[in-house]
Amino acid sequence: MIYDLLIGPFAEFDFMRRALVGVLALGIGAGPIGVLMMLRRMSLAGDAMAHAVLPGAAVGFLAAGLNLFAMTVGGLVAGFAVALGAGAVARATQMKEDAALAAFYLISLALGVLLVSLRGSNVDLLHVLFGTVLALDDATLLLIVSISSLTLVVLALAWRPLVLESVDPGFLRSVSRAGAPSHLIFLALVVTNLVGGFHALGTLLAVGLMMLPAAAARFWTRELTVLVGISVVIACASGVLGLLVSYHSGVPSGPAIILVAGGAYALSVLFGPVGGLLLRFLPQRHLEA
């Protein structure tokens, strides 16, 4: 019974094993990035940047069809262009960065859907928007694993300035010139991880495995290292459970994975020991003199 529920799908079907490796790699890379985005109060900016890769991927699709290299390069170029463009508008005008990102993301989303619609079918559009985690081929799987590995290496080398730039950028600027490079490195990590997630979960859902686990982990600890660990565990567990739910119930795998992560967030809001609702309504011990 337990074998059929939890192990059988991955032991019997090659596409499930590929999807398992893909979601685990995505979870390991996206978990720490989601925590850093939450520390920078850029949670909604991540959603905007996830849509920003769409027009570049669409141009790659128009040029070469569902070609992994063309869509990846297009997505990276578009993601960097939107991130840098929104930052430049925010610094050159009085517009806040979140408003500039919102404007760029709406334009990018509309342009990407229009470009895909010019040549592709509704199936192609759904593939771009929602991904195909159950159809990962060797090249796509290698790309996702490479992005996650690169993310871990960069985080290991630049963890301290990235954290300082997230929690107190003014202090980092006062003691070092690493502020601007750290911000650019962080944006590069966000865009590359979104491009990796885009191939599995699509542009609409790629940011879900990045932000929901990080937001859920915040209700369980205040310590940064533990926060990153819990975020990675929740992201990987959401991927595995989402695949199992999709397999046994016949629902689309991408939304199933994100809904499982959403369930983990809801449970954390209710039962988390750090600011959870249940703890707030329980009677608290009073200090005694």
Side-chain angles (χ1 to χ4, degrees):
M1 182 67 176
I2 294 179
Y3 176 87
D4 292 336
L5 281 176
L6 304 179
I7 302 175
F10 300 115
E12 296 175 11
F13 298 103
D14 186 55
F15 71 90
M16 287 293 287
R17 287 194 293 273
R18 290 174 179 275
L20 176 64
V21 174
V23 296
L24 289 179
L26 285 175
I28 292 171
I33 301 301
V35 170
L36 290 176
M37 293 193 72
M38 190 173 59
L39 290 177
R40 292 167 180 257
R41 303 179 187 275
M42 289 180 61
S43 303
L44 291 177
D47 187 42
M49 291 176 65
H51 296 85
V53 305
L54 183 56
V59 171
F61 172 76
L62 287 176
L66 293 174
N67 180 278
L68 175 67
F69 178 77
M71 295 180 72
T72 299
V73 172
L76 285 173
V77 171
F80 283 124
V82 168
L84 296 176
V89 169
R91 284 164 177 74
T93 68
Q94 295 182 347
M95 178 173 282
K96 298 294 185 183
E97 189 163 5
D98 61 334
L101 266 175
F104 273 78
Y105 119 73
L106 288 170
I107 296 170
S108 298
L109 181 62
L111 180 61
V113 172
L114 178 65
L115 289 174
V116 176
S117 303
L118 287 177
R119 176 175 165 180
S121 63
N122 289 336
V123 175
D124 296 326
L125 183 59
L126 290 175
H127 169 84
V128 173
L129 293 178
F130 298 105
T132 52
V133 68
L134 295 181
L136 297 177
D137 55 19
D138 289 343
T140 308
L141 204 55
L142 181 61
L143 173 70
I144 294 174
V145 173
S146 300
I147 288 175
S148 297
S149 302
L150 178 65
T151 299
L152 295 182
V153 171
V154 173
L155 288 177
L157 295 175
W159 180 248
R160 187 181 295 273
L162 283 173
V163 172
L164 278 176
E165 214 269 331
S166 299
V167 298
D168 195 347
F171 172 75
L172 182 61
R173 282 196 298 270
S174 67
V175 300
S176 168
R177 296 182 178 178
S182 298
H183 187 63
L184 292 176
I185 290 173
F186 174 72
L187 289 179
L189 290 176
V190 172
V191 172
T192 51
N193 276 272
L194 287 174
V195 170
F198 147 73
H199 287 292
L201 300 172
T203 58
L204 294 184
L205 299 177
V207 74
L209 210 55
M210 186 178 290
M211 292 313 308
L212 283 172
R218 184 62 184 85
F219 287 95
W220 297 97
T221 182
R222 289 189 175 91
E223 208 280 318
L224 181 59
T225 305
V226 182
L227 186 66
V228 170
I230 295 176
S231 177
V232 170
V233 169
I234 293 176
C236 293
S238 299
V240 176
L241 291 177
L243 287 176
L244 290 172
V245 169
S246 171
Y247 175 83
H248 290 295
S249 62
V251 298
S253 51
I257 291 171
I258 303 305
L259 284 176
V260 170
Y265 172 73
L267 290 175
S268 300
V269 171
L270 291 174
F271 302 110
V274 183
L277 292 177
L278 184 62
L279 189 66
R280 177 172 297 183
F281 291 114
L282 287 177
Q284 303 293 314
R285 292 182 60 186
H286 295 283
L287 296 176
E288 297 179 358

